[in-house]
Amino acid sequence: MIARAVDDPLVAWLLDADPSIRWQVLRDLAGMPSGTVAAERSLVAAEGWAPRLLDQQRVDGQWGDGVDLPFWWTNLYTLLYLRDLGVDPASAGARTAIDRVRNSVTWGPEFGNSPFFEGEVEPCINGRVVALGAYFGERSDRLVDRLLSEQLADGGWNCEAERGSVRSSFHTTICVLEGLLAFERAFGSSAPVTDARERGQEYLLERRLLRRLSTGEIIEPAWTKFAFPPLWHYDVLRALDYLRAAGVQTDTRVEDAVAIVLQRRQADGRWLLDVRHRDTLYEEIAGAVGEPNRWITLRALRVLDWYGRRD
């Protein structure tokens, strides 16, 4: 780790924030002792954004009203927010919320009222559910087995496979990879899961995280713009942050994506929130589009630190 001083102006700006950001800065950028990081993280469940989200849960376990957005959307992306904030899954507020979800929340009659942590049918959604289950201690081997069975021949996944697609989607693949990594970290590695995840990584790396395998052209220019939260959308910063978390050894195939991250850094060393995806919840947590953004800056800096440690 390239430890930064907490009085460095950029680090100080990052630390002038909600505890959900502060504890990650102390861990990932400042290299503080584990006890200091744990003490800061313990504040996440007690003050700021996380308790605000927990307090908005209904007694039936749902978030939202099911009118402006379907319950599945507000439930899924509120829980993903809580995971991104780093709320302690053992805290009283989190346990109450997860107990309600486990006991009461389903994906609705169109999916046979499948319990929330058993997922539905789309791998992009189910990858996120596996990640949430790993974080909050709700294991579903059945859902993991389903994802493994849905991996395509090119190494990735695609929600359109059930309608005949044989070509993987970057969007779906990153969602599944994050879920499988979280599952392995929480419950231990197994050869089938590790093999599937490594094949999925290769699918992205072979395409340099954004280019067509056939022509080398950039597939989607929007992938060079950064959002928080990403929802189901792919971008190169999200892919790089996954590779960092997975401990993947860098090689020349990530250089294009890293160059984009460097290009998007502002003169003051910060990164902007480039885009807010449609139906993003809790916009005050995500930040204002076009403004310096602590979430993007945190993720970009830790990605660059990971890249800088290459052999």
Side-chain angles (χ1 to χ4, degrees):
M1 172 181 288
I2 304 171
R4 294 171 170 83
V6 294
D7 59 353
D8 175 277
L10 186 55
V11 175
W13 173 72
L14 287 168
L15 290 172
D16 184 21
D18 189 84
S20 59
I21 294 177
R22 294 200 304 263
W23 82 268
Q24 296 183 64
V25 172
L26 294 176
R27 180 193 65 182
D28 297 336
L29 301 182
M32 298 299 286
S34 59
T36 302
V37 174
E40 189 64 41
R41 187 183 182 189
S42 70
L43 300 177
V44 175
E47 60 185 61
W49 292 326
R52 191 186 316 168
L53 299 188
L54 291 168
D55 289 345
Q56 292 183 39
Q57 188 185 32
R58 299 160 26 138
V59 294
D60 64 359
Q62 316 260 28
W63 278 269
D65 59 12
V67 176
D68 295 330
L69 291 169
F71 281 126
W72 75 262
W73 183 276
T74 51
N75 294 336
L76 177 67
Y77 288 112
T78 299
L79 287 168
L80 285 167
Y81 247 134
L82 288 167
R83 184 204 61 172
D84 287 341
L85 299 178
V87 66
D88 183 352
S91 65
R95 290 325 312 164
T96 296
I98 296 306
D99 288 346
R100 287 173 175 170
V101 172
R102 184 198 322 107
N103 295 333
S104 304
V105 175
T106 74
W107 290 93
E110 63 268 40
F111 299 112
N113 289 314
S114 173
F116 181 86
F117 288 108
E118 288 299 317
E120 37 113 295
V121 298
E122 296 175 297
C124 60
I125 298 297
N126 288 339
R128 313 312 300 276
V129 175
V130 167
L132 287 172
Y135 190 80
F136 290 108
E138 301 293 330
R139 177 172 182 158
S140 176
D141 291 275
R142 184 201 65 81
L143 196 55
V144 170
D145 289 343
R146 175 172 185 146
L147 290 171
L148 298 189
S149 74
E150 293 170 336
Q151 190 168 26
L152 298 176
D154 61 10
W157 287 262
N158 193 335
C159 289
E160 296 299 317
E162 63 176 340
R163 287 174 280 278
S165 177
V166 296
R167 180 179 298 175
S168 293
S169 157
F170 279 55
H171 299 293
T172 302
T173 298
I174 194 65
C175 291
V176 176
L177 286 176
E178 290 169 346
L180 295 181
L181 177 62
F183 185 84
E184 288 193 291
R185 292 285 170 82
F187 304 119
S189 299
S190 68
V193 176
T194 301
D195 177 68
R197 189 168 56 77
E198 290 178 347
R199 287 174 56 209
Q201 291 169 189
E202 282 300 306
Y203 167 80
L204 298 179
L205 287 166
E206 286 173 355
R207 292 155 179 82
R208 304 181 71 87
L209 306 187
L210 80 163
R211 296 188 180 275
R212 296 189 188 281
L213 195 59
S214 57
T215 66
E217 296 175 330
I218 291 179
I219 298 170
E220 177 53 68
W223 295 350
T224 68
K225 297 181 179 180
F226 306 148
F228 181 85
L231 303 182
W232 55 268
H233 298 272
Y234 177 90
D235 64 55
V236 296
L237 180 58
R238 182 178 179 184
L240 289 167
D241 205 26
Y242 161 79
L243 294 172
R244 175 201 62 83
V248 174
Q249 180 66 47
T250 62
D251 60 38
T252 58
R253 295 176 294 176
V254 304
E255 290 178 356
D256 288 355
V258 169
I260 290 167
V261 174
L262 290 169
Q263 290 164 10
R264 302 205 74 82
R265 181 164 55 185
Q266 304 301 295
D268 61 5
R270 299 184 288 185
W271 278 260
L272 308 181
L273 182 70
D274 295 319
V275 63
R276 174 178 290 125
H277 294 307
R278 179 182 174 186
D279 295 331
T280 294
L281 304 174
Y282 318 111
E283 293 182 0
E284 69 280 8
I285 298 177
V289 174
E291 296 293 325
N293 187 272
R294 289 178 174 85
W295 291 110
I296 303 299
T297 300
L298 166 63
R299 292 180 171 195
L301 287 174
R302 68 190 183 192
V303 158
L304 293 178
D305 285 354
W306 161 76
Y307 180 71
R309 293 194 297 271
R310 66 193 185 282
D311 292 334

